């Protein structure tokens, strides 16, 4: 295993009773649980992908792995809590003219059927999976941020120049999207409609 690049929380009912899943750039995943030796596996289909893995998210019983240099977001469905089957490209079948450029994405978050892709300039692409054969995914690229505070209702806004490094989805009872500016130690918090 090389240096880990990201980690995700797992439900405890996996084959190794691991709490955390780590990943290195080569696609090796490490199942980690208290007082147990880590278990290492290679994700199928990750061999030789340009640039390697950068981010992972575990959501709705699926593992999402982002390969920015390969412009790919792979989705793994577990078999008995392990990721042994070949992945599916999240944007499979989406016309390349409307497919987001994943090489510019620095982090992502997932809320059920909704995918939030954060770019380094603070812009976000919001993609919704419909499952419909003719239009399986629709993306707003980029989303328009609106200031809804009293006195500024419905005014479009842009985030200032900064070093944006992370996007986080907060679940109910107060669902929101938070974007971290590491340079100024600021967090911008938006509703799910931005």
């Amino acid at each position: 295993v090389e240096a880990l690049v990201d980690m995700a929380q797992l439900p405890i009912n996996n084959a190794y009773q691991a709490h955390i899943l780590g990943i290195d750039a080569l696609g090796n995943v490490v199942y980690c649980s208290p007082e147990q030796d880590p278990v290492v596996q290679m994700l199928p289909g990750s061999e030789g992908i340009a640039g390697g893995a950068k981010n992972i998210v575990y959501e709705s019983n699926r593992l999402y792995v982002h390969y920015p240099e390969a412009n790919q977001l792979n989705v793994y469905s577990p078999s008995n809590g392990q990721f042994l089957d070949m992945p599916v490209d999240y944007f499979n079948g989406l016309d390349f003219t409307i497919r987001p450029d994943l090489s510019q994405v620095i982090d992502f978050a997932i809320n059920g059927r909704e995918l939030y892709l954060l770019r380094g300039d603070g812009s976000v692409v919001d993609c919704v999976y419909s499952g419909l054969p003719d239009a399986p995914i629709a993306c707003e690229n980029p989303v328009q941020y609106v200031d809804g505070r009293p006195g500024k209702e419905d005014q479009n806004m842009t985030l200032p120049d900064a070093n944006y490094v992370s996007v986080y989805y907060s679940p109910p009872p107060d669902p929101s999207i938070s974007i971290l500016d590491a340079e100024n130690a600021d967090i911008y918090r938006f509703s799910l409609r931005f």
Side-chain angles (χ1 to χ4, degrees), residues 137-185:
I137 299 170
C139 296
E140 183 180 354
N141 185 5
V143 299
Q144 295 297 310
Y145 299 127
V146 177
D147 192 338
R149 295 176 293 178
K152 298 186 177 196
E153 290 89 347
D154 300 327
Q155 291 182 17
N156 286 345
M157 62 167 284
T158 57
L159 296 181
D161 289 338
N163 181 22
Y164 299 100
V165 296
S166 184
V167 61
Y168 180 76
Y169 164 70
S170 300
D174 190 14
S176 60
I177 301 297
S178 298
I179 298 173
L180 174 63
D181 166 9
E183 184 175 312
N184 300 303

Side-chain angles (χ1 to χ4, degrees), residues 106-143:
I106 57 166
D107 197 18
F108 70 101
I110 296 178
N111 168 24
R113 294 177 165 256
E114 212 155 348
L115 169 69
Y116 308 102
L117 303 166
L118 174 67
R119 294 185 184 120
D121 63 1
S123 64
V124 169
V125 179
D126 181 8
C127 296
V128 179
Y129 177 77
S130 70
L132 300 172
D134 292 341
I137 299 170
C139 296
E140 183 180 354
N141 185 5
V143 299

Side-chain angles (χ1 to χ4, degrees), residues 4 7-8 10 12 14 16-22 29-40:
L4 297 179
M7 65 179 178
L10 291 177
I12 195 67
N14 59 72
Y16 306 112
Q17 297 180 340
H19 296 244
I20 301 291
L21 182 74
V29 290
V30 182
Y31 294 86
C32 303
S33 56
E35 300 182 25
Q36 300 288 329
D37 290 333
V39 176
V40 178

Side-chain angles (χ1 to χ4, degrees), residues 34-133:
E35 300 182 25
Q36 300 288 329
D37 290 333
V39 176
V40 178
Q41 292 179 345
M42 171 68 89
L43 287 175
S46 61
E47 304 89 5
I49 295 180
K54 181 176 179 189
N55 314 85
I56 60 172
V57 170
Y58 186 87
E59 171 69 26
S60 300
N61 204 30
R62 287 181 174 75
L63 179 66
Y64 297 79
V65 183
H66 175 218
Y67 296 92
E69 288 186 34
N71 202 30
Q72 252 176 275
L73 181 65
N74 286 349
V75 183
Y76 292 86
S77 296
S79 299
N80 297 322
Q82 301 176 68
F83 305 103
L84 304 174
D85 299 326
M86 291 299 286
V88 175
D89 179 1
Y90 182 88
F91 295 100
N92 186 34
L94 192 63
D95 188 295
F96 280 98
T97 60
I98 57 175
R99 181 183 174 124
D101 181 2
L102 299 177
S103 68
Q104 302 300 314
V105 171
I106 57 166
D107 197 18
F108 70 101
I110 296 178
N111 168 24
R113 294 177 165 256
E114 212 155 348
L115 169 69
Y116 308 102
L117 303 166
L118 174 67
R119 294 185 184 120
D121 63 1
S123 64
V124 169
V125 179
D126 181 8
C127 296
V128 179
Y129 177 77
S130 70
L132 300 172

